[in-house]
Amino acid sequence: MSSLLLARPSVRLPLLAAGRRALSARPAAPQPEALSVFLSQSHNVFTNLALEDWLYRNFRFGRHNLLMVWRNAPCVVIGRHQNPWREVDTHHLHAAGMPLARRNSGGGTVYHDLGNLNLTFFSAREQYDRSANLHLVADALRQGWGFDITVNERDDILLDGAFKVSGTAAKLTRNTAYHHLTLMVNVDTDSLHRSLERPLHGLKSGATESVPAPVRNLADGAPSVSMDKIVAAIGQMYLKQAGKQASRGFQMVNPSDEWFPGLAALEAGLADPGWVYGKTPRFSHTFRLAACSNVEVEVQVEKGLITSVQPLPPDNSAGVSGTEWVRSILPSAFPELLASLVGEKYCADIARRTETLLLGHTGSADTCRSDRRILAM
């Protein structure tokens, strides 16, 4: 298995096309008659998410089900209903050249690199069994290396009863389902923790929030563990469910339009900022402008765009509105300057952007700081 993830594919589109016809020929059955393991040759997160979506959209599962195995270069992937500014340090990701992706399934935020294994179990909706998939992975790890592995009530796979090595999410529609999970084999945990820091405060949102947990790599306590061996152990246990006659084995797949027509369009959509950021549920961000008399400002954001910017009055403002209070201590045009941000794209440095806007119109920071009159008690 040493070359399993590196070999150039020997099978081209005709075999996949034939396989697709076989998958689509008959209605879904309660139990699969054949199983395959697809090994993606790409390490691009958007390509792999597109392949996952392509298979979900185009294959009819039931009689022939799939396990897709894939890895990504360093990146962060958020759930469909999450707020990226709440979950990650976007400045760090940008500086590190690390992509941020939003997947189609729900769940929390995960860090990926080549030491992390991703597994996607495809089936008909009526065959969907998250628990069976998780226990298959757990059994493969126990049998292969003697790990103390358990599955908790949140469907996380735990090592030694305490350390999370796998998170899970799923997408289900009327006829088709997939369940995917991560597996920390030899992840750069320093990069993981740095990428998932949450530097912003004052965000209010109904978006799904990740639940932090202590993590550990499988390789930390078992030097014999390698990515290829893990892939082989889990893949073989998956295929064994179908028996020798029904197993289609491991197949290298090349995620490209040549193999999967229309894949490039799906990839472009997943990489579009309108999807990654624009699908963020509506939220507000409250912050103070330290250079401008510590005025507190609330920004409302919808679809990644600023829809409202309002100064907030202090607790002792005696019923005076935020706009009236700001006019009393700062140049009168400040509320209008704040309003000029409406329609702009929201970003993590909104407080600095707002101060820069205001200070640029007053001429200097001293002008903004000079008038510190306060309302009478």
Side-chain angles (χ1 to χ4, degrees), residues 76 87-93 95-96 98 111 188-199:
V76 171
E87 298 296 327
V88 303
D89 185 343
T90 55
H91 282 312
H92 169 72
L93 297 190
M98 197 180 300
Y111 169 84
D188 182 344
T189 52
D190 288 339
S191 182
L192 179 154
H193 291 301
R194 179 66 184 87
S195 300
L196 301 186
E197 286 181 357
R198 299 174 173 181

Side-chain angles (χ1 to χ4, degrees), residues 148-150 152 156-167 183-184 213-218 220:
D148 177 7
I149 292 288
T150 54
N152 70 7
D156 297 328
I157 296 178
L158 302 182
L159 177 65
D160 298 330
F163 299 98
K164 182 175 177 178
V165 295
S166 174
L183 192 60
M184 292 180 59
V215 298
R216 178 175 290 175
N217 282 311
L218 292 170
D220 289 348

Side-chain angles (χ1 to χ4, degrees), residues 252-365:
M252 291 285 188
V253 294
N254 175 15
S256 64
D257 263 10
E258 183 182 2
W259 282 49
F260 304 94
L263 185 78
L266 292 176
E267 180 178 344
L270 288 164
D272 189 328
W275 166 256
V276 178
Y277 296 100
K279 285 296 182 180
T280 301
R282 183 171 54 188
F283 69 98
S284 66
H285 183 188
T286 301
F287 52 88
R288 291 188 179 276
L289 302 177
C292 298
S293 297
N294 214 31
V295 169
E296 190 172 32
V297 174
E298 182 185 69
V299 173
Q300 297 283 342
V301 183
E302 189 169 356
K303 297 181 180 180
L305 300 177
I306 297 171
T307 58
S308 171
V309 186
Q310 295 292 333
L312 300 179
D315 294 337
N316 64 348
S317 60
V320 176
S321 71
T323 296
E324 291 173 321
W325 180 73
V326 166
R327 289 194 193 282
S328 74
I329 65 166
L330 295 171
S332 60
F334 271 41
E336 286 71 24
L337 290 173
L338 291 175
S340 71
L341 291 169
V342 172
E344 296 289 326
K345 294 179 181 178
Y346 174 85
C347 63
D349 66 348
I350 182 63
R352 183 190 61 78
R353 277 178 60 195
T354 304
E355 284 189 338
T356 299
L357 171 69
L358 299 178
L359 298 176
H361 280 77
T362 58
S364 72

Side-chain angles (χ1 to χ4, degrees), residues 184-230:
M184 292 180 59
V185 179
N186 193 21
V187 170
D188 182 344
T189 52
D190 288 339
S191 182
L192 179 154
H193 291 301
R194 179 66 184 87
S195 300
L196 301 186
E197 286 181 357
R198 299 174 173 181
L200 291 184
H201 302 283
L203 293 181
K204 293 182 180 179
S205 172
T208 301
E209 290 198 16
S210 300
V211 179
V215 298
R216 178 175 290 175
N217 282 311
L218 292 170
D220 289 348
S224 63
V225 169
S226 71
M227 186 64 71
D228 286 351
K229 290 178 181 178
I230 292 280

Side-chain angles (χ1 to χ4, degrees), residues 11 25 42 47 56 92 109-110 137 151 193 221 239 261 268 282 322 338:
V11 180
S42 175
T47 303
Y56 177 73
H92 169 72
T109 299
V110 287
V137 174
V151 179
H193 291 301
L239 294 171
R282 183 171 54 188
L338 291 175

